[in-house]
Amino acid sequence: MEKRESYGKKHRKIGSWAGLAIISVFFLLPSGCNHTAKQKSAQKPTYSIETAKEISHITSGIISSSEPIRIRFVHPIVDENQVNSPLKLPVFHFSPEISGHAVWQDEQTLAFVSDHPLSLGQSYTGKLDVAALLPSQKESALKEIDLAFQVAKRELVRLDGSFTAAQTGKASEAAFEGTIDFTEPCTIDMVKKSISLDLDGRDIRAVWMMREDQKRFTFTIPSISREKSTRTLVVRINSEPLGLSTGMERKFLLEPVKVFKVSRFETFQNGDRGFAIIFSDRLDMKQDINGFISVEPAVQFTMKKSASKILVTGSFKPGEGYAITAHKGISNIWGARLKEAAVHSVTFQNLNPSIQFVKDGIFLPSSNKQNVRFTAVNVRKVKITVQQVFSSTLGQYLQVAETNAQKTRSDNFNESDRVGVKVAEQTLTLSGKLNDKEQYAIDMSKLIRKGTLGMFLVSLSFQREDMIPETKAASYGNYTDWYNDPKAPGYMWRHARIYKPVLVTDIGLTHYGTGKHHVVIATDLLSAGPISGVTVELRSYQDQIIQTAVTNRRGKAEFTNVNRDVYYVRGKYRDNTTFLLNSAMAWNVSSFDVGGSEVNKENLRAFVFTDRGVYRPGDEVHLSLIVRNEEGTFPENHPVTLTLTNPKQQVALKSTLRKGKDGFYVFRFTTAENDPTGVWQAKITA
């Protein structure tokens, strides 16, 4: 399929770019993650080779209720001026029916956006009528595309809360602050209908707030009088209005002012291992608590006061039990003291079963004996799968795949079955003992043919029966954390599988680019010396060769008059192939002074800056620029256009300002909650 050419007024381009980094704090549950033991993933259709040649991504598996249904073509289909314009012709058909509209999100990605959140837990099938979408492509063998996906169910992630000081500051009053998290969005009215609060058997009102993603809700009871006897606040969640698997109830106790005691003990072992002693009221922060806490058997530990807690961390061993004593004499802010010692036995749970690679990184030179190392704790065996990406489909893989090679990566490889083939699969029995973290090596030379170079996708995984001790999945609600409790359904997705892309090569590339001039340096990873004779290709996002050059005796290849954006660089030398993906492998220069200016042939210069360098999806961005011509001035109210590109090389925004004074312009725009994270690029045209 060919992209139709479009023509328009030419603009002079300012030689200045601004990078925006958007970091996600809140995450959707990824597709493919089962939310309950009963929820089954929608069966993915089988696609023909004709479809694979034209399509690089189709929405499938389990998706969020607010997620668009997307189909991404391998090549550009529409002109830039058709992006973000809804289609008038109905080309999507679903069963059950979904009301909504189709829109081109970029020149290659067609999305169907529902008018309302999709029905939770519902399985959908559908078709995209390609013949109706592209009537001019009559010769294409691709006439329609089958769709199948399922919407995730809503589940409760967390219900927590605590009593705090009232705004009056009086000892006779307290406030309560609670937090409720769900896996899927819901309205605040739905939450209010589902949750009841009663204090000593009587209903009590709260002030509710909802986070923008509609998954986290906080509630506050601003004033609760403290009586002469203990008061009980009960928080109940009714499952039906929210479509939850089951309801939940939690009780919180408010003690009288003159009563000060230990409410409970809680262990923790995320990072530091220790326990928290939670008291019935806030502690006297001025009191020296040394000697008031003892542990048997004796270990070295440190203490920290925090509101109504004493946090104790130390060299506690997993699987071991300890006797904790909070001695009498500890006081709260109102002067009441602990009248008798509180003794409690705690046992630190065994380390959670987990696996992770020893190092970040993607390159594996032959000098490393082709060993990929990983560590495991409380796992009996792992399944190793290796896929090889074809050299001819490397560009397609880089279009849709994450090249993230972090040690704990749990996101799978997108479209790996379409661009590669499985070359090895085996089960490795581990020798680890309970709570011992041991290191193992995967000998790639035994899994791939000798001398084979290129890109490989390595995945490790284990099942519940491989855990030490074996841990069965708990029913809904009988676990403490959806992702981090080994009994929870979400634990297997987050911790029981890891992925690493591995490039077996002895060639390293360094790419410098400024304006239309680019330089690539090829280095031998074994000797650290330059390599001459490497064929270097600058390639576009569509995997088209922009320019080709061969490195000289200093390992240097230069490119001039590069008029297109370089998505990645590929190097070939004898049987070696390597690549450099600009969007994912750029140097972090945030700690270095790399300031300077770039002047284009029109002698236009621009200073571009934002109100801050890091944003979250949903944040408002203020992007300002000062433009100057060769005379140091700039025409008043001259039109300036901003083109904002997301990490997927999709145009997310195109806006033109026609009001500017002395070359000063300010663009204001708000990112969406579901925007992709990574480095965004702003291109200014004047």
Side-chain angles (χ1 to χ4, degrees):
M1 297 183 183
E2 296 181 356
K3 177 185 174 184
R4 298 192 301 273
E5 294 293 330
S6 61
Y7 301 90
K9 183 179 178 180
K10 292 185 178 180
H11 297 280
R12 293 183 296 172
K13 293 183 178 180
I14 298 173
S16 180
W17 298 75
L20 304 179
I22 297 182
I23 292 181
S24 176
V25 175
F26 312 112
F27 299 89
L28 291 172
L29 284 177
S31 61
C33 173
N34 288 332
H35 295 281
T36 68
K38 297 180 180 179
Q39 185 173 348
K40 296 182 180 179
S41 175
Q43 186 174 0
K44 186 176 181 179
T46 301
Y47 297 108
S48 65
I49 188 64
E50 288 78 12
T51 302
K53 289 179 180 179
E54 302 287 355
I55 306 297
S56 65
H57 171 76
I58 299 174
T59 291
S60 62
I62 298 178
I63 68 172
S64 169
S65 61
S66 58
E67 183 177 341
I69 294 91
R70 294 185 177 91
I71 294 180
R72 182 168 178 81
F73 291 83
V74 173
H75 303 291
I77 301 298
V78 297
D79 299 326
E80 187 177 322
N81 58 12
Q82 293 177 263
V83 174
N84 296 326
S85 298
L87 274 64
K88 297 180 180 179
L89 185 69
V91 294
F92 282 98
H93 306 281
F94 296 103
S95 177
E97 186 177 350
I98 305 174
S99 63
H101 64 277
V103 61
W104 286 100
Q105 293 186 326
D106 58 39
E107 295 159 321
Q108 295 173 245
T109 306
L110 180 67
F112 182 86
V113 181
S114 175
D115 292 336
H116 308 285
L118 300 175
S119 300
L120 299 179
Q122 177 68 54
S123 293
Y124 290 90
T125 58
K127 291 182 182 296
L128 170 64
D129 189 343
V130 180
L133 175 68
L134 306 171
S136 62
Q137 305 292 335
K138 295 180 180 180
E139 72 283 359
S140 174
L142 185 60
K143 302 300 181 184
E144 63 180 21
I145 298 172
D146 292 327
L147 300 166
F149 55 90
Q150 185 178 13
V151 182
K153 292 183 178 180
R154 181 183 295 114
E155 300 293 356
L156 178 67
V157 177
R158 180 174 69 137
L159 167 59
D160 202 2
S162 62
F163 289 100
T164 62
Q167 289 185 349
T168 61
K170 296 180 180 179
S172 59
E173 293 183 29
F176 185 85
E177 296 177 352
T179 301
I180 303 174
D181 289 337
F182 299 99
T183 59
E184 286 293 313
C186 49
T187 66
I188 198 165
D189 289 336
M190 293 170 61
V191 174
K192 288 181 178 180
K193 290 178 181 178
S194 303
I195 295 177
S196 64
L197 306 170
D198 71 65
L199 182 65
D200 298 335
R202 295 184 178 182
D203 291 342
I204 188 169
R205 292 185 177 182
V207 178
W208 288 86
M209 294 187 67
M210 177 180 67
R211 200 173 64 184
E212 288 186 12
D213 65 357
Q214 294 185 277
K215 295 181 182 180
R216 170 168 291 182
F217 298 82
T218 58
F219 62 95
T220 303
I221 304 174
S223 180
I224 303 174
S225 62
R226 307 182 76 155
E227 307 292 348
K228 294 181 179 180
S229 59
T230 302
R231 309 197 71 180
T232 303
L233 174 67
V234 181
V235 183
R236 295 187 182 90
I237 299 180
N238 183 3
S239 61
E240 291 185 7
L242 291 169
L244 304 175
S245 300
T246 185
M248 181 174 283
E249 177 181 301
R250 281 201 64 180
K251 295 181 179 180
F252 301 89
L253 303 180
L254 177 62
E255 302 292 348
V257 176
K258 295 183 179 180
V259 175
F260 184 56
K261 61 183 182 181
V262 174
S263 298
R264 63 186 186 276
F265 292 78
E266 293 179 353
T267 60
F268 57 84
Q269 50 190 56
N270 293 328
D272 294 328
R273 188 174 294 111
F275 58 88
I277 307 174
I278 296 94
F279 294 85
S280 60
D281 215 327
R282 288 172 295 159
L283 296 165
D284 178 4
M285 303 305 289
K286 296 180 180 180
Q287 183 184 23
D288 184 357
I289 59 173
N290 286 322
F292 282 100
I293 307 297
S294 60
V295 179
E296 291 292 338
V299 296
Q300 289 187 339
F301 62 86
T302 59
M303 297 182 294
K304 178 183 178 181
K305 289 181 289 185
S306 175
S308 60
K309 300 178 181 179
I310 294 179
L311 303 175
V312 181
T313 57
S315 53
F316 301 101
K317 296 181 179 180
E320 298 290 334
Y322 298 86
I324 313 299
T325 303
H327 296 278
K328 63 180 181 179
I330 300 174
S331 62
N332 67 12
I333 60 171
W334 313 115
R337 293 181 178 273
L338 200 63
K339 293 184 177 180
E340 56 184 33
V343 182
H344 186 75
S345 296
V346 300
T347 299
F348 289 94
Q349 68 180 41
N350 295 319
L351 295 177
N352 289 342
S354 64
I355 51 178
Q356 72 173 42
F357 292 105
V358 172
K359 293 183 178 181
D360 299 330
I362 187 173
F363 295 96
L364 184 67
S366 58
S367 62
N368 195 38
K369 297 182 180 180
Q370 295 188 345
N371 282 340
V372 177
R373 292 178 171 82
F374 70 97
T375 60
V377 59
N378 288 346
V379 177
R380 290 188 179 91
K381 60 183 178 181
V382 296
K383 180 181 178 181
I384 304 170
T385 303
V386 180
Q387 292 176 283
Q388 182 178 4
V389 177
F390 302 130
S391 178
S392 59
T393 58
L394 177 61
Q396 297 178 37
Y397 173 74
L398 295 178
Q399 285 179 341
V400 297
E402 289 280 351
T403 55
N404 166 26
Q406 292 182 343
K407 295 182 288 187
T408 57
R409 170 178 173 168
S410 59
D411 296 327
N412 61 8
F413 302 113
N414 294 334
E415 307 295 324
S416 59
D417 293 335
R418 193 175 65 82
V419 298
V421 63
K422 186 186 297 183
V423 295
E425 184 176 85
Q426 68 172 217
T427 299
L428 178 63
T429 300
L430 308 181
S431 58
K433 299 179 181 179
L434 183 65
N435 295 321
D436 280 352
K437 185 176 183 179
E438 297 193 10
Q439 186 176 130
Y440 304 88
I442 304 171
D443 188 349
M444 294 288 289
S445 65
K446 294 182 179 180
L447 299 178
I448 60 178
R449 287 186 300 174
K450 185 177 181 180
T452 303
L453 303 172
M455 170 69 86
F456 295 88
L457 309 177
V458 180
S459 62
L460 304 181
S461 63
F462 62 85
Q463 304 300 320
R464 288 196 173 276
E465 57 267 25
D466 301 325
M467 295 180 175
I468 303 176
E470 183 176 339
T471 305
K472 296 183 179 180
S475 58
Y476 178 79
N478 293 320
Y479 46 82
T480 57
D481 188 289
W482 179 269
Y483 289 119
N484 297 313
D485 186 339
K487 300 188 297 294
Y491 184 86
M492 299 302 291
W493 178 84
R494 179 69 64 85
H495 300 283
R497 55 186 188 178
I498 53 175
Y499 301 87
K500 177 182 282 290
V502 175
L503 184 62
V504 182
T505 183
D506 291 331
I507 305 174
L509 297 180
T510 304
H511 174 216
Y512 308 89
T514 174
K516 297 181 180 181
H517 184 231
H518 293 250
V519 175
V520 176
I521 306 295
T523 305
D524 189 327
L525 296 179
L526 301 181
S527 65
I531 308 177
S532 63
V534 177
T535 301
V536 180
E537 300 169 346
L538 304 184
R539 293 203 172 217
S540 68
Y541 182 74
Q542 291 76 27
D543 202 29
Q544 301 299 307
I545 298 176
I546 300 172
Q547 280 192 33
T548 302
V550 178
T551 58
N552 58 22
R553 60 185 180 84
R554 294 182 296 173
K556 183 178 181 180
E558 291 197 59
F559 303 83
T560 58
N561 296 320
V562 178
N563 296 313
R564 298 174 62 186
D565 293 336
V566 178
Y567 183 64
Y568 78 102
V569 180
R570 178 184 285 197
K572 299 178 182 178
Y573 181 69
R574 297 175 182 171
D575 294 331
N576 263 287
T577 298
T578 190
F579 74 91
L580 189 65
L581 184 62
N582 290 340
S583 61
M585 299 178 178
W587 288 349
N588 182 354
V589 295
S590 59
S591 301
F592 301 91
D593 183 6
V594 294
S597 62
E598 177 186 337
V599 180
N600 59 13
K601 64 181 181 181
E602 291 88 2
N603 286 321
L604 286 176
R605 294 182 300 169
F607 177 64
V608 185
F609 56 96
T610 58
D611 52 335
R612 63 182 195 268
V614 177
Y615 298 87
R616 297 176 298 183
D619 283 353
E620 184 179 29
V621 180
H622 293 186
L623 185 146
S624 304
L625 68 145
I626 303 172
V627 191
R628 291 288 183 267
N629 56 26
E630 59 184 343
E631 298 175 355
T633 62
F634 197 72
E636 191 166 331
N637 297 329
H638 183 83
V640 173
T641 299
L642 164 69
T643 303
L644 187 68
T645 306
N646 67 23
K648 296 182 179 180
Q649 300 296 305
Q650 300 168 346
V651 176
L653 173 70
K654 191 168 186 179
S655 176
T656 300
L657 288 181
R658 291 178 172 82
K659 291 185 179 181
K661 188 173 183 180
D662 196 25
F664 185 80
Y665 297 81
V666 179
F667 289 91
R668 295 179 177 87
F669 54 90
T670 302
T671 59
E673 286 287 341
N674 59 351
D675 273 341
T677 60
V679 178
W680 289 54
Q681 194 173 61
K683 181 178 180 180
I684 309 298
T685 306

